[in-house]
mmCIF file of all heavy atoms in Angstrom:
data_model
loop_
_atom_site.group_PDB
_atom_site.id
_atom_site.type_symbol
_atom_site.label_atom_id
_atom_site.label_comp_id
_atom_site.label_asym_id
_atom_site.label_seq_id
_atom_site.Cartn_x
_atom_site.Cartn_y
_atom_site.Cartn_z
ATOM 1 N N GLU A 797 -26.279 -6.075 72.461
ATOM 2 C CA GLU A 797 -26.289 -4.884 73.313
ATOM 3 C C GLU A 797 -27.529 -4.812 74.172
ATOM 4 O O GLU A 797 -27.462 -4.412 75.346
ATOM 5 C CB GLU A 797 -26.151 -3.607 72.438
ATOM 6 C CG GLU A 797 -24.821 -3.327 71.945
ATOM 7 C CD GLU A 797 -24.727 -1.990 71.219
ATOM 8 O OE1 GLU A 797 -25.790 -1.350 71.023
ATOM 9 O OE2 GLU A 797 -23.614 -1.630 70.809
ATOM 10 N N SER A 798 -28.691 -5.249 73.576
ATOM 11 C CA SER A 798 -29.929 -5.268 74.380
ATOM 12 C C SER A 798 -29.821 -6.249 75.517
ATOM 13 O O SER A 798 -30.326 -6.010 76.608
ATOM 14 C CB SER A 798 -31.145 -5.527 73.473
ATOM 15 O OG SER A 798 -31.048 -6.889 72.935
ATOM 16 N N CYS A 799 -29.191 -7.426 75.276
ATOM 17 C CA CYS A 799 -28.966 -8.345 76.381
ATOM 18 C C CYS A 799 -28.073 -7.802 77.450
ATOM 19 O O CYS A 799 -28.386 -7.906 78.661
ATOM 20 C CB CYS A 799 -28.365 -9.687 75.796
ATOM 21 S SG CYS A 799 -29.424 -10.568 74.713
ATOM 22 N N LEU A 800 -26.962 -7.134 77.061
ATOM 23 C CA LEU A 800 -26.055 -6.614 78.069
ATOM 24 C C LEU A 800 -26.671 -5.471 78.862
ATOM 25 O O LEU A 800 -26.399 -5.251 80.044
ATOM 26 C CB LEU A 800 -24.802 -6.139 77.358
ATOM 27 C CG LEU A 800 -23.886 -7.215 76.762
ATOM 28 C CD1 LEU A 800 -22.686 -6.570 76.107
ATOM 29 C CD2 LEU A 800 -23.478 -8.288 77.759
ATOM 30 N N ASN A 801 -27.471 -4.626 78.157
ATOM 31 C CA ASN A 801 -28.076 -3.455 78.788
ATOM 32 C C ASN A 801 -29.064 -3.893 79.850
ATOM 33 O O ASN A 801 -29.448 -3.133 80.782
ATOM 34 C CB ASN A 801 -28.809 -2.572 77.792
ATOM 35 C CG ASN A 801 -27.787 -1.760 76.972
ATOM 36 O OD1 ASN A 801 -26.690 -1.426 77.488
ATOM 37 N ND2 ASN A 801 -28.146 -1.431 75.756
ATOM 38 N N ARG A 802 -29.638 -5.121 79.750
ATOM 39 C CA ARG A 802 -30.567 -5.565 80.779
ATOM 40 C C ARG A 802 -29.885 -6.092 81.974
ATOM 41 O O ARG A 802 -30.443 -6.065 83.110
ATOM 42 C CB ARG A 802 -31.368 -6.795 80.196
ATOM 43 C CG ARG A 802 -32.407 -7.344 81.153
ATOM 44 C CD ARG A 802 -33.191 -8.512 80.533
ATOM 45 N NE ARG A 802 -34.218 -9.003 81.367
ATOM 46 C CZ ARG A 802 -34.025 -9.986 82.322
ATOM 47 N NH1 ARG A 802 -32.846 -10.582 82.368
ATOM 48 N NH2 ARG A 802 -34.999 -10.396 83.065
ATOM 49 N N LEU A 803 -28.569 -6.446 81.943
ATOM 50 C CA LEU A 803 -27.883 -6.939 83.112
ATOM 51 C C LEU A 803 -27.793 -5.886 84.203
ATOM 52 O O LEU A 803 -27.636 -4.668 83.913
ATOM 53 C CB LEU A 803 -26.472 -7.410 82.703
ATOM 54 C CG LEU A 803 -26.367 -8.526 81.746
ATOM 55 C CD1 LEU A 803 -24.930 -8.875 81.393
ATOM 56 C CD2 LEU A 803 -27.034 -9.777 82.290
ATOM 57 N N GLN A 804 -27.871 -6.278 85.382
ATOM 58 C CA GLN A 804 -27.799 -5.392 86.583
ATOM 59 C C GLN A 804 -26.435 -5.436 87.223
ATOM 60 O O GLN A 804 -25.953 -6.502 87.561
ATOM 61 C CB GLN A 804 -28.953 -5.790 87.589
ATOM 62 C CG GLN A 804 -30.310 -5.662 87.047
ATOM 63 C CD GLN A 804 -31.361 -6.115 88.087
ATOM 64 O OE1 GLN A 804 -31.031 -6.811 89.026
ATOM 65 N NE2 GLN A 804 -32.539 -5.736 87.907
ATOM 66 N N PRO A 805 -25.815 -4.282 87.395
ATOM 67 C CA PRO A 805 -24.494 -4.320 88.107
ATOM 68 C C PRO A 805 -24.748 -4.801 89.544
ATOM 69 O O PRO A 805 -25.791 -4.646 90.155
ATOM 70 C CB PRO A 805 -24.146 -2.855 88.165
ATOM 71 C CG PRO A 805 -24.944 -2.177 87.109
ATOM 72 C CD PRO A 805 -26.220 -2.940 86.979
ATOM 73 N N THR A 806 -23.739 -5.478 90.037
ATOM 74 C CA THR A 806 -23.828 -6.081 91.385
ATOM 75 C C THR A 806 -23.011 -5.244 92.352
ATOM 76 O O THR A 806 -21.901 -4.852 92.092
ATOM 77 C CB THR A 806 -23.206 -7.528 91.361
ATOM 78 O OG1 THR A 806 -23.959 -8.318 90.457
ATOM 79 C CG2 THR A 806 -23.356 -8.168 92.749
ATOM 80 N N ALA A 807 -23.582 -4.967 93.506
ATOM 81 C CA ALA A 807 -22.890 -4.247 94.524
ATOM 82 C C ALA A 807 -21.599 -4.933 94.856
ATOM 83 O O ALA A 807 -21.580 -6.141 95.013
ATOM 84 C CB ALA A 807 -23.775 -4.070 95.791
ATOM 85 N N LEU A 808 -20.553 -4.183 95.062
ATOM 86 C CA LEU A 808 -19.192 -4.732 95.253
ATOM 87 C C LEU A 808 -19.122 -5.738 96.368
ATOM 88 O O LEU A 808 -18.570 -6.875 96.276
ATOM 89 C CB LEU A 808 -18.173 -3.629 95.508
ATOM 90 C CG LEU A 808 -16.729 -4.128 95.696
ATOM 91 C CD1 LEU A 808 -16.226 -4.843 94.474
ATOM 92 C CD2 LEU A 808 -15.845 -2.897 95.897
ATOM 93 N N ASP A 809 -19.717 -5.446 97.533
ATOM 94 C CA ASP A 809 -19.655 -6.288 98.703
ATOM 95 C C ASP A 809 -20.365 -7.647 98.432
ATOM 96 O O ASP A 809 -19.965 -8.705 98.938
ATOM 97 C CB ASP A 809 -20.239 -5.703 99.931
ATOM 98 C CG ASP A 809 -19.359 -4.555 100.526
ATOM 99 O OD1 ASP A 809 -18.171 -4.547 100.114
ATOM 100 O OD2 ASP A 809 -19.842 -3.734 101.278
ATOM 101 N N TRP A 810 -21.372 -7.588 97.540
ATOM 102 C CA TRP A 810 -22.113 -8.823 97.240
ATOM 103 C C TRP A 810 -21.220 -9.754 96.404
ATOM 104 O O TRP A 810 -21.405 -10.944 96.416
ATOM 105 C CB TRP A 810 -23.403 -8.503 96.544
ATOM 106 C CG TRP A 810 -24.549 -8.127 97.525
ATOM 107 C CD1 TRP A 810 -24.577 -6.989 98.234
ATOM 108 C CD2 TRP A 810 -25.727 -8.877 97.788
ATOM 109 N NE1 TRP A 810 -25.726 -6.990 99.013
ATOM 110 C CE2 TRP A 810 -26.408 -8.158 98.793
ATOM 111 C CE3 TRP A 810 -26.195 -10.078 97.376
ATOM 112 C CZ2 TRP A 810 -27.573 -8.595 99.295
ATOM 113 C CZ3 TRP A 810 -27.403 -10.565 97.891
ATOM 114 C CH2 TRP A 810 -28.072 -9.823 98.886
ATOM 115 N N LEU A 811 -20.344 -9.143 95.598
ATOM 116 C CA LEU A 811 -19.399 -9.999 94.764
ATOM 117 C C LEU A 811 -18.409 -10.749 95.674
ATOM 118 O O LEU A 811 -17.839 -11.727 95.217
ATOM 119 C CB LEU A 811 -18.638 -9.083 93.802
ATOM 120 C CG LEU A 811 -19.499 -8.534 92.637
ATOM 121 C CD1 LEU A 811 -18.658 -7.555 91.821
ATOM 122 C CD2 LEU A 811 -20.067 -9.626 91.733
ATOM 123 N N LYS A 812 -18.238 -10.279 96.837
ATOM 124 C CA LYS A 812 -17.412 -10.951 97.842
ATOM 125 C C LYS A 812 -18.038 -12.067 98.602
ATOM 126 O O LYS A 812 -17.456 -12.805 99.306
ATOM 127 C CB LYS A 812 -16.783 -9.912 98.794
ATOM 128 C CG LYS A 812 -16.159 -8.697 98.213
ATOM 129 C CD LYS A 812 -14.933 -8.983 97.416
ATOM 130 C CE LYS A 812 -14.295 -7.690 96.933
ATOM 131 N NZ LYS A 812 -13.010 -8.011 96.106
ATOM 132 N N ALA A 813 -19.388 -12.118 98.457
ATOM 133 C CA ALA A 813 -20.186 -13.031 99.312
ATOM 134 C C ALA A 813 -19.852 -14.507 99.075
ATOM 135 O O ALA A 813 -19.712 -15.290 100.056
ATOM 136 C CB ALA A 813 -21.671 -12.817 99.069
ATOM 137 N N GLY A 814 -19.719 -14.907 97.834
ATOM 138 C CA GLY A 814 -19.469 -16.306 97.539
ATOM 139 C C GLY A 814 -18.250 -16.842 98.184
ATOM 140 O O GLY A 814 -18.235 -17.901 98.793
ATOM 141 N N GLY A 815 -17.116 -16.056 98.043
ATOM 142 C CA GLY A 815 -15.820 -16.497 98.640
ATOM 143 C C GLY A 815 -15.869 -16.593 100.143
ATOM 144 O O GLY A 815 -15.374 -17.524 100.754
ATOM 145 N N THR A 816 -16.533 -15.566 100.759
ATOM 146 C CA THR A 816 -16.661 -15.540 102.223
ATOM 147 C C THR A 816 -17.473 -16.745 102.701
ATOM 148 O O THR A 816 -17.021 -17.362 103.734
ATOM 149 C CB THR A 816 -17.334 -14.245 102.646
ATOM 150 O OG1 THR A 816 -16.533 -13.153 102.157
ATOM 151 C CG2 THR A 816 -17.400 -14.174 104.166
ATOM 152 N N MET A 817 -18.593 -16.978 102.085
ATOM 153 C CA MET A 817 -19.411 -18.082 102.529
ATOM 154 C C MET A 817 -18.754 -19.468 102.321
ATOM 155 O O MET A 817 -18.783 -20.326 103.210
ATOM 156 C CB MET A 817 -20.762 -18.072 101.805
ATOM 157 C CG MET A 817 -21.661 -16.929 102.275
ATOM 158 S SD MET A 817 -23.349 -17.005 101.486
ATOM 159 C CE MET A 817 -22.988 -16.634 99.798
ATOM 160 N N TRP A 818 -18.044 -19.601 101.154
ATOM 161 C CA TRP A 818 -17.382 -20.822 100.900
ATOM 162 C C TRP A 818 -16.223 -21.083 101.862
ATOM 163 O O TRP A 818 -16.091 -22.231 102.376
ATOM 164 C CB TRP A 818 -16.824 -20.794 99.452
ATOM 165 C CG TRP A 818 -16.207 -22.148 99.037
ATOM 166 C CD1 TRP A 818 -14.845 -22.358 98.925
ATOM 167 C CD2 TRP A 818 -16.843 -23.391 98.782
ATOM 168 N NE1 TRP A 818 -14.633 -23.669 98.609
ATOM 169 C CE2 TRP A 818 -15.879 -24.276 98.510
ATOM 170 C CE3 TRP A 818 -18.194 -23.778 98.786
ATOM 171 C CZ2 TRP A 818 -16.105 -25.606 98.223
ATOM 172 C CZ3 TRP A 818 -18.490 -25.112 98.487
ATOM 173 C CH2 TRP A 818 -17.469 -25.978 98.236
ATOM 174 N N ASP A 819 -15.466 -20.063 102.208
ATOM 175 C CA ASP A 819 -14.392 -20.207 103.173
ATOM 176 C C ASP A 819 -14.950 -20.611 104.521
ATOM 177 O O ASP A 819 -14.293 -21.402 105.256
ATOM 178 C CB ASP A 819 -13.605 -18.900 103.274
ATOM 179 C CG ASP A 819 -12.771 -18.652 102.006
ATOM 180 O OD1 ASP A 819 -12.611 -19.521 101.180
ATOM 181 O OD2 ASP A 819 -12.345 -17.492 101.838
ATOM 182 N N HIS A 820 -16.056 -20.056 104.840
ATOM 183 C CA HIS A 820 -16.655 -20.341 106.177
ATOM 184 C C HIS A 820 -17.149 -21.801 106.258
ATOM 185 O O HIS A 820 -17.035 -22.437 107.368
ATOM 186 C CB HIS A 820 -17.796 -19.331 106.470
ATOM 187 C CG HIS A 820 -18.432 -19.519 107.798
ATOM 188 N ND1 HIS A 820 -17.839 -19.145 108.986
ATOM 189 C CD2 HIS A 820 -19.639 -20.094 108.169
ATOM 190 C CE1 HIS A 820 -18.637 -19.495 109.981
ATOM 191 N NE2 HIS A 820 -19.737 -20.010 109.516
ATOM 192 N N LEU A 821 -17.688 -22.322 105.180
ATOM 193 C CA LEU A 821 -18.246 -23.620 105.174
ATOM 194 C C LEU A 821 -17.165 -24.720 105.320
ATOM 195 O O LEU A 821 -17.385 -25.773 105.916
ATOM 196 C CB LEU A 821 -19.026 -23.865 103.856
ATOM 197 C CG LEU A 821 -20.360 -23.190 103.742
ATOM 198 C CD1 LEU A 821 -20.894 -23.318 102.296
ATOM 199 C CD2 LEU A 821 -21.329 -23.770 104.712
ATOM 200 N N LYS A 822 -15.965 -24.450 104.796
ATOM 201 C CA LYS A 822 -14.826 -25.377 104.855
ATOM 202 C C LYS A 822 -15.178 -26.716 104.311
ATOM 203 O O LYS A 822 -14.821 -27.805 104.897
ATOM 204 C CB LYS A 822 -14.345 -25.482 106.343
ATOM 205 C CG LYS A 822 -13.741 -24.197 106.873
ATOM 206 C CD LYS A 822 -13.289 -24.428 108.316
ATOM 207 C CE LYS A 822 -12.483 -23.213 108.803
ATOM 208 N NZ LYS A 822 -13.338 -21.992 108.885
ATOM 209 N N LEU A 823 -15.928 -26.801 103.209
ATOM 210 C CA LEU A 823 -16.209 -28.037 102.551
ATOM 211 C C LEU A 823 -15.023 -28.543 101.852
ATOM 212 O O LEU A 823 -14.263 -27.796 101.223
ATOM 213 C CB LEU A 823 -17.411 -27.873 101.589
ATOM 214 C CG LEU A 823 -18.723 -27.368 102.160
ATOM 215 C CD1 LEU A 823 -19.823 -27.208 101.039
ATOM 216 C CD2 LEU A 823 -19.231 -28.289 103.289
ATOM 217 N N GLU A 824 -14.817 -29.896 101.941
ATOM 218 C CA GLU A 824 -13.651 -30.483 101.268
ATOM 219 C C GLU A 824 -14.127 -31.237 99.985
ATOM 220 O O GLU A 824 -15.006 -32.142 100.158
ATOM 221 C CB GLU A 824 -12.970 -31.437 102.279
ATOM 222 C CG GLU A 824 -12.374 -30.678 103.431
ATOM 223 C CD GLU A 824 -11.539 -31.603 104.302
ATOM 224 O OE1 GLU A 824 -11.415 -32.823 103.977
ATOM 225 O OE2 GLU A 824 -11.024 -31.154 105.389
ATOM 226 N N LEU A 825 -13.548 -30.913 98.889
ATOM 227 C CA LEU A 825 -13.899 -31.593 97.656
ATOM 228 C C LEU A 825 -12.624 -32.079 97.015
ATOM 229 O O LEU A 825 -11.512 -31.409 97.124
ATOM 230 C CB LEU A 825 -14.563 -30.633 96.692
ATOM 231 C CG LEU A 825 -15.973 -30.025 97.108
ATOM 232 C CD1 LEU A 825 -16.418 -29.028 96.118
ATOM 233 C CD2 LEU A 825 -16.940 -31.134 97.320
ATOM 234 N N ALA A 826 -12.697 -33.186 96.343
ATOM 235 C CA ALA A 826 -11.531 -33.767 95.607
ATOM 236 C C ALA A 826 -11.210 -32.841 94.432
ATOM 237 O O ALA A 826 -12.095 -32.457 93.621
ATOM 238 C CB ALA A 826 -11.821 -35.145 95.075
ATOM 239 N N PRO A 827 -9.934 -32.429 94.258
ATOM 240 C CA PRO A 827 -9.553 -31.533 93.071
ATOM 241 C C PRO A 827 -9.972 -32.187 91.812
ATOM 242 O O PRO A 827 -10.315 -31.396 90.818
ATOM 243 C CB PRO A 827 -8.057 -31.454 93.237
ATOM 244 C CG PRO A 827 -7.764 -31.759 94.636
ATOM 245 C CD PRO A 827 -8.816 -32.747 95.126
ATOM 246 N N GLU A 828 -9.972 -33.442 91.664
ATOM 247 C CA GLU A 828 -10.367 -34.128 90.356
ATOM 248 C C GLU A 828 -11.771 -33.800 89.985
ATOM 249 O O GLU A 828 -12.128 -33.766 88.799
ATOM 250 C CB GLU A 828 -10.205 -35.641 90.508
ATOM 251 C CG GLU A 828 -8.735 -36.095 90.734
ATOM 252 C CD GLU A 828 -8.249 -35.921 92.160
ATOM 253 O OE1 GLU A 828 -9.119 -35.716 93.012
ATOM 254 O OE2 GLU A 828 -7.025 -36.046 92.357
ATOM 255 N N TRP A 829 -12.614 -33.575 91.014
ATOM 256 C CA TRP A 829 -14.036 -33.270 90.709
ATOM 257 C C TRP A 829 -14.123 -31.942 89.949
ATOM 258 O O TRP A 829 -14.827 -31.835 88.944
ATOM 259 C CB TRP A 829 -14.819 -33.207 91.996
ATOM 260 C CG TRP A 829 -16.281 -33.100 91.850
ATOM 261 C CD1 TRP A 829 -17.160 -34.148 91.651
ATOM 262 C CD2 TRP A 829 -17.058 -31.939 91.941
ATOM 263 N NE1 TRP A 829 -18.454 -33.571 91.566
ATOM 264 C CE2 TRP A 829 -18.426 -32.295 91.743
ATOM 265 C CE3 TRP A 829 -16.754 -30.530 92.146
ATOM 266 C CZ2 TRP A 829 -19.458 -31.422 91.731
ATOM 267 C CZ3 TRP A 829 -17.782 -29.672 92.130
ATOM 268 C CH2 TRP A 829 -19.096 -30.055 91.938
ATOM 269 N N THR A 830 -13.486 -30.897 90.476
ATOM 270 C CA THR A 830 -13.518 -29.597 89.817
ATOM 271 C C THR A 830 -12.814 -29.640 88.479
ATOM 272 O O THR A 830 -13.272 -28.998 87.505
ATOM 273 C CB THR A 830 -12.769 -28.521 90.710
ATOM 274 O OG1 THR A 830 -13.455 -28.480 91.979
ATOM 275 C CG2 THR A 830 -12.773 -27.182 90.138
ATOM 276 N N ALA A 831 -11.682 -30.385 88.397
ATOM 277 C CA ALA A 831 -10.968 -30.476 87.109
ATOM 278 C C ALA A 831 -11.839 -31.070 86.005
ATOM 279 O O ALA A 831 -11.867 -30.676 84.891
ATOM 280 C CB ALA A 831 -9.718 -31.304 87.274
ATOM 281 N N GLU A 832 -12.604 -32.099 86.440
ATOM 282 C CA GLU A 832 -13.464 -32.799 85.385
ATOM 283 C C GLU A 832 -14.603 -31.883 84.956
ATOM 284 O O GLU A 832 -14.933 -31.781 83.756
ATOM 285 C CB GLU A 832 -14.065 -34.034 86.037
ATOM 286 C CG GLU A 832 -14.931 -34.887 85.074
ATOM 287 C CD GLU A 832 -14.167 -35.450 83.904
ATOM 288 O OE1 GLU A 832 -12.894 -35.638 84.063
ATOM 289 O OE2 GLU A 832 -14.716 -35.646 82.830
ATOM 290 N N LEU A 833 -15.211 -31.153 85.902
ATOM 291 C CA LEU A 833 -16.311 -30.212 85.564
ATOM 292 C C LEU A 833 -15.909 -29.062 84.618
ATOM 293 O O LEU A 833 -16.658 -28.689 83.777
ATOM 294 C CB LEU A 833 -16.918 -29.660 86.810
ATOM 295 C CG LEU A 833 -17.875 -30.531 87.631
ATOM 296 C CD1 LEU A 833 -18.351 -29.829 88.843
ATOM 297 C CD2 LEU A 833 -19.004 -31.126 86.837
ATOM 298 N N LEU A 834 -14.704 -28.626 84.844
ATOM 299 C CA LEU A 834 -14.187 -27.455 84.113
ATOM 300 C C LEU A 834 -13.217 -27.803 82.956
ATOM 301 O O LEU A 834 -12.738 -26.888 82.307
ATOM 302 C CB LEU A 834 -13.594 -26.453 85.050
ATOM 303 C CG LEU A 834 -14.512 -25.831 86.080
ATOM 304 C CD1 LEU A 834 -13.743 -24.947 87.047
ATOM 305 C CD2 LEU A 834 -15.531 -25.016 85.425
ATOM 306 N N GLY A 835 -13.012 -29.053 82.720
ATOM 307 C CA GLY A 835 -12.073 -29.452 81.646
ATOM 308 C C GLY A 835 -10.678 -29.021 81.878
ATOM 309 O O GLY A 835 -10.012 -28.482 80.923
ATOM 310 N N LEU A 836 -10.128 -29.224 83.072
ATOM 311 C CA LEU A 836 -8.777 -28.781 83.434
ATOM 312 C C LEU A 836 -7.855 -29.938 83.571
ATOM 313 O O LEU A 836 -8.221 -31.048 84.011
ATOM 314 C CB LEU A 836 -8.836 -27.992 84.727
ATOM 315 C CG LEU A 836 -9.686 -26.718 84.729
ATOM 316 C CD1 LEU A 836 -9.748 -26.135 86.118
ATOM 317 C CD2 LEU A 836 -9.288 -25.713 83.683
#
Side-chain angles (χ1 to χ4, degrees):
E797 283 187 355
S798 66
C799 292
L800 295 180
N801 284 332
R802 181 179 182 271
L803 296 179
Q804 298 178 340
T806 302
L808 180 59
D809 287 344
W810 279 68
L811 291 175
K812 310 293 186 181
T816 301
M817 289 187 288
W818 182 254
D819 292 344
H820 181 74
L821 287 170
K822 295 181 173 62
L823 300 181
E824 295 185 4
L825 298 175
E828 294 79 12
W829 189 84
T830 301
E832 183 65 26
L833 284 180
L834 294 174
L836 303 176

